[in-house]
Amino acid sequence: MSDNTKSSTERQSHWDNRFDSNAPQSLTWYQPHILDSLALIQKYGQDLGPDAAVIDVGAGNAGLVDDLAALGYKNLSVLDISAKALAQTRDRLGGNAENIEFIKADLTKWKPTGEWDIWHDRAAFHFLTGTSEQNAYLDALHSSTHKGALVLISCFSTNGPEKCSGLSVQQYSVADLAARLGEEYELLEGYQKDHITPNGGHQNFTHTAFKRR
């Protein structure tokens, strides 16, 4: 069975082991603050304001939710397939976790029951290398957002790694992501930038911001 056809159970086991076996600061994608995402939210989400409903999909144990809460955002959701990652985020947030919605789900199987104003994905979509899985992700995105919603997606660029955490990834340019999302999503901004890993390595990312038409 290839990377991109793992069952939900196998995926969860893979990521639970990854988060359980490594300190957060040692993971290649670790950033103390996800500054590019914060800047795009503040730039393009100003009209939505701190009452905006924000979902961070494939969030792992990342600290974006901490920074958004510190900025006054009140309606925050975190989605990940790994129960371990979500538990680590709960523990880190302490009492503030009571104000966060935690969703344990496989994005390719998830049936959203709510609607969000801001969709944030840093390095989840690029792990979906099969067309059917990508389409399932896009269906979830479409079902859980509305006209005017802000959609932020960051993936490895065409100059980035071909694998991460032992799994193959799909690389994207800005144009590739825009084409994959389709005409219903207006590209507001896109650029490439290196992420410096905790051990000093370089991973080139494509960062994009879209507005749903």
Side-chain angles (χ1 to χ4, degrees), residues 116-139:
W116 287 267
D117 304 305
I118 300 175
W119 171 285
H120 174 265
D121 168 4
R122 179 178 178 268
F125 186 51
H126 70 197
F127 281 110
L128 306 179
T129 57
T131 300
S132 62
E133 293 180 329
Q134 294 168 4
N135 288 341
Y137 173 106
L138 295 174
D139 287 344

Side-chain angles (χ1 to χ4, degrees), residues 67-85:
D67 288 331
L68 289 175
L71 289 170
Y73 284 81
K74 306 175 185 67
N75 192 353
L76 300 171
S77 303
V78 178
L79 181 150
D80 202 87
I81 195 172
S82 170
K84 296 288 186 181

